[in-house]
Amino acid sequence: MLTQADIQNALKAVKYPGFSRDIVSFGLVKEIFAANGAVSVSLQLTSANPAAAQQIKEESERVLKALPGVKRVRVEVQQPAAGQAAPTNPFANQNRVPGVKRVIAIASGKGGVGKSTVAANLACALKHLGASVGLLDCDIYGPSIPLMMGVHERPTISPREQLVPPLGHGVKVMSIGLLLTDEQPVIWRGPMITKTIQQFLMAVEWGELDFLLVDLPPGTGDAQLSLCQTVPLDGGVIVTTPQEASLGVARKGIAMFNKVNVPILGIENMSYFTAPNGERVEIFGHGGGKTEAKRQNVPFLGEVPIFTEIREGGDRGMPVVVSAPDSPAAQAFIEIATSLHRQL
Ligand SMILES: Nc1ncnc2c1ncn2[C@@H]1O[C@H](COP(=O)(O)OP(=O)(O)OP(=O)(O)O)[C@@H](O)[C@H]1O
Ligand SMILES: [Mg+2]
């Protein structure tokens, strides 16, 4: 028996003509129906281009017919009439970053839950596992990646007039903090943020990367929107602490990624603290992240306890995954990196 999920999975093989992204992730699949070997799918396009519609219809029919047990296939493609103003798709201008296999955003609803800490350690953990990794800081008002990765060099300009990202612990790093030298705060409006983030993605020589991790500011503002509009994201990691005050806003982050069809993964940070006498203290409660992930059907990557070494590593630019890879703190991140690798 084929399920709707099987059919949806099969349709992921159908790319939107001219894009590297598939019709499912673009949210074009409206209805799926399957019974007794017959499959019926309804697609809604936002463009009036008849050639694109035809190509998508043929491709979809082909992949569906190839499914085991399928005898009849009906693919209905709806699109706005030619001449009628098609609804503008804000994601139509997305492009992949050349050479980068996966772009993964690290987000949260609330501030200070440890996004940047997770991003820095996860980048180093993926590197530790043998991947080539970049780390892009999209927190324009409060960049913390240069400090946490111990990178203070200014990026150079390549002969192709691209910014060359400096290396921190073998990870390619880019941040507004590397470009602005003085202690002046950045006071920019939305369009400047958008422009900067576009350049950070497209005008930086990232080279061949297995993972580009993107550290976001808290919430669902200009940076998040710009990122989602500029590149198709392969994953959105939501970091939360266990207490309701953080989980409540984490739901907004989940809703944001859901809207743009980005696969979501969850991490609980500051899960608990082990006192010097060995007693386990659940400062913010425990398990809220896992429970919420389950409730929302989001894969849970793991939890990171509170360790003094994690905070110290952040402050001295040497993530604990690099300084003490065998410590329990580092192992928590390495386990998360391993399950991230497995999930994507
Ligand atoms: N598991 C942990 N154990 C100990 N300290 C931690 C842990 N996670 C984060 N911290 C510390 O908490 C502080 C806040 O973390 P961080 O800056 O990573 O949060 P953030 O979510 O990126 O914040 P913002 O929303 O401002 O970007 C930092 O000093 C960091 O070292
Ligand atoms: Mg941060």
Side-chain angles (χ1 to χ4, degrees), residues 261-318:
N261 296 305
V262 172
I264 303 165
L265 308 147
I267 292 181
E268 179 175 293
N269 188 26
M270 311 197 192
S271 262
Y272 56 85
F273 173 71
T274 309
N277 66 4
E279 188 200 346
R280 174 166 156 150
V281 189
E282 299 183 348
I283 297 177
F284 299 120
H286 174 242
K290 192 171 191 172
T291 312
E292 183 64 20
K294 202 162 183 188
R295 205 175 69 81
Q296 300 238 20
N297 221 347
V298 164
F300 185 69
L301 292 177
E303 53 184 41
V304 183
I306 298 178
F307 285 105
T308 314
E309 306 93 281
I310 293 181
R311 198 270 310 148
E312 281 170 354
D315 280 350
R316 69 188 175 97
M318 176 72 85

Side-chain angles (χ1 to χ4, degrees), residues 116 139 144 215:
S116 305
D139 195 337
S144 35
D215 182 30

Side-chain angles (χ1 to χ4, degrees), residues 15-21 26 52 55 94-95:
K15 300 276 185 275
Y16 194 97
F19 283 81
S20 58
R21 221 168 134 186
F26 268 128
Q55 190 177 336
Q94 281 183 333
N95 274 311

Side-chain angles (χ1 to χ4, degrees), residues 2 7 36-39 63-73:
L2 278 179
I7 294 167
N36 307 324
V39 174
V63 299
L64 294 174
K65 276 183 191 148
L67 288 174
V70 171
K71 296 192 195 72
R72 267 164 303 133
V73 170

